[in-house]
Amino acid sequence: MRDLTGSQRRQLREAIISAYPTKDDLAMMVDDELEEKLNAIAGGENLTHLVFSLIKWAESRGKLEPLIIAAYGTNPGNPELKEFYQTIFQQRFRIHLPPVNTIRDIGPAIEWLGATEELQLQGFWQPEPDFWDVGYLKRAIAQASSVCRIEINPQGIEGTGVLIANRLVLTNYHVLNPDENADIHINALNAVLRFGCFSSDLGNETEGQVVKLDRQQPILHSSPTNKLDYVLLQVAETSPPSNDSKPARWEPNHLPVKGMGINLFQHPEGASMKLSITRDGITGVYPERGLVQYVNKTALGSSGAPCFDEDGTLVALHHAQRARSFGTIREGILFSCIYQEIQSYL
């Protein structure tokens, strides 16, 4: 979100004071909606100074938009807050969600466990920052060498996979078994894994390295679509990925965090590799279900795409997207849950 002008900042301060006239009211909203302790992030001799400090804290940490959405969403009936939201925030700063009618349902059904109001979801659709931290981008790009496009002909199946160890690749079960009539083992034998499919300096796609699966045992372990939706593939010993293809970095029990960023390397529509970045796109983490839900952009061909957290650690496999009346939702399978079933192979 762009910085507020001085007059806009004053109007926001007065609106928040009007909507939350006591420190306890304000602290409750901040705790419930932002999951922060007011006393830890803002201070002041009176409520005016406290709200001023809160706004400055939000601006300095890129949390101004979530603060505005939280304040208005908790007390939408306050006239001053409503006026600020509709005349300044919504008209000048609002991040529009993609039109629902342009999004296809991909992958298995999703039971959405997060917010269902567009107002709440807007908080997860942050604008691109004016400056990207180069170290952050380097950590993200470093993971690209672990990603491959999965091609299964003549069925025309395409997906994305990730190298997690020498000769071991993870992707979604439904990539190899898209319908009940499919033979997952035949599809595995017909699969081509293509590492390093990037766009070239000329704008066309590089050929990448073609890798085939082991003929005797292409599938080491799997979980069906209605469970953890993964398949662990074994690359043929005669054609392992080159030294340029490095396994993704992972930790057995590492979990993503709600409200943090998540980055997906993928081959949408079977195209050259793309990177989808969100700074705080994770809407919920559900270890008991083995799921993480988020709002990154994906498409057909993105199934099986690795999801990395802001530190470049593999945290999930993307497996589904759905259009809903309130926006577009995405879901991944937590790597920590998959690990429990495949650890003997690693």
Side-chain angles (χ1 to χ4, degrees):
M1 179 174 178
R2 291 170 288 175
D3 291 339
L4 296 173
T5 65
S7 62
Q8 290 170 346
R9 191 177 294 109
R10 181 175 61 253
Q11 186 176 346
L12 175 60
R13 182 173 68 246
E14 293 172 352
I16 291 177
I17 292 172
S18 173
Y20 303 93
T22 71
K23 181 179 179 180
D24 287 344
D25 291 336
L26 184 63
M28 185 182 302
M29 183 273 291
V30 171
D31 194 354
D32 289 347
E33 302 301 324
L34 300 181
E35 298 183 350
E36 299 280 358
K37 300 300 182 184
L38 182 62
N39 288 337
I41 62 175
E45 297 178 355
N46 53 48
L47 189 61
T48 299
H49 292 163
L50 186 63
V51 174
F52 173 82
S53 177
L54 175 62
I55 293 172
K56 296 296 287 184
W57 169 86
E59 287 182 315
S60 68
R61 287 163 176 77
K63 297 291 185 181
L64 184 58
E65 186 170 339
L67 171 62
I68 294 170
I69 290 174
Y72 178 65
T74 303
N75 190 359
N78 179 268
E80 293 184 37
L81 201 52
K82 184 176 183 179
E83 181 181 1
F84 178 88
Y85 182 83
Q86 293 182 347
T87 61
I88 295 178
F89 176 75
Q90 196 170 42
Q91 293 180 14
R92 295 191 57 190
F93 299 105
R94 179 180 176 184
I95 306 302
H96 295 281
L97 296 174
V100 171
N101 59 7
T102 67
I103 303 297
R104 286 182 288 173
D105 289 348
I106 297 172
I110 296 176
E111 180 186 354
W112 185 248
L113 303 171
T116 58
E117 296 294 333
E118 182 179 352
L119 174 64
Q120 295 170 291
L121 286 174
Q122 283 176 36
F124 296 99
W125 282 100
Q126 295 294 317
E128 293 184 2
D130 293 330
F131 303 99
W132 283 105
D133 180 78
V134 175
Y136 175 83
L137 292 176
K138 286 181 66 177
R139 289 191 296 274
I141 296 300
Q143 304 305 317
S145 66
S146 67
V147 181
C148 65
R149 184 170 65 205
I150 298 177
E151 308 164 359
I152 304 175
N153 293 315
Q155 292 89 336
I157 298 172
E158 292 178 322
T160 304
V162 58
L163 186 71
I164 60 169
N166 183 33
R167 296 177 56 210
L168 299 182
V169 171
L170 267 182
T171 190
N172 288 146
Y173 185 91
H174 77 260
V175 169
L176 272 70
N177 191 45
D179 59 66
E180 60 183 16
N181 297 319
D183 188 316
I184 187 172
H185 293 282
I186 291 178
N187 282 344
L189 291 174
N190 289 331
V192 170
L193 280 56
R194 197 180 296 271
F195 287 85
C197 290
F198 307 117
S199 59
S200 70
D201 294 341
L202 300 177
N204 58 334
E205 180 182 292
T206 58
E207 184 176 349
Q209 182 202 6
V210 173
V211 171
K212 299 285 286 186
L213 297 179
D214 185 87
R215 302 300 296 178
Q216 300 301 317
Q217 195 174 11
I219 298 174
L220 294 178
H221 208 276
S222 65
S223 179
T225 303
N226 62 353
K227 292 187 178 179
L228 290 182
D229 191 19
Y230 76 84
V231 58
L232 181 64
L233 303 173
Q234 180 173 225
V235 172
E237 191 172 7
T238 56
S239 63
S242 70
N243 292 333
D244 293 333
S245 298
K246 307 293 185 183
R249 180 161 57 86
W250 50 265
E251 298 175 14
N253 301 310
H254 186 72
L255 290 173
V257 178
K258 178 182 177 181
M260 298 299 287
I262 189 167
N263 306 321
L264 278 69
F265 284 96
Q266 55 191 300
H267 287 281
E269 307 291 347
S272 58
M273 193 185 304
K274 303 293 189 293
L275 171 60
S276 171
I277 297 177
T278 62
R279 291 184 295 158
D280 48 7
I282 298 176
T283 63
V285 182
Y286 311 99
E288 70 283 356
R289 296 176 178 235
L291 300 174
V292 56
Q293 295 180 337
Y294 41 87
V295 294
N296 289 60
K297 294 180 180 179
T298 57
L300 187 67
S302 299
S303 291
C307 305
F308 296 94
D309 67 10
E310 294 178 343
D311 294 324
T313 301
L314 177 66
V315 293
L317 281 186
H318 170 73
H319 87 133
Q321 74 173 30
R322 284 292 184 275
R324 293 290 183 268
S325 60
F326 53 84
T328 307
I329 56 178
R330 274 87 178 181
E331 184 175 83
I333 304 296
L334 291 171
F335 178 77
S336 59
C337 295
I338 296 175
Y339 172 81
Q340 300 304 316
E341 298 190 1
I342 65 171
Q343 56 183 305
S344 62
Y345 299 99
L346 299 173

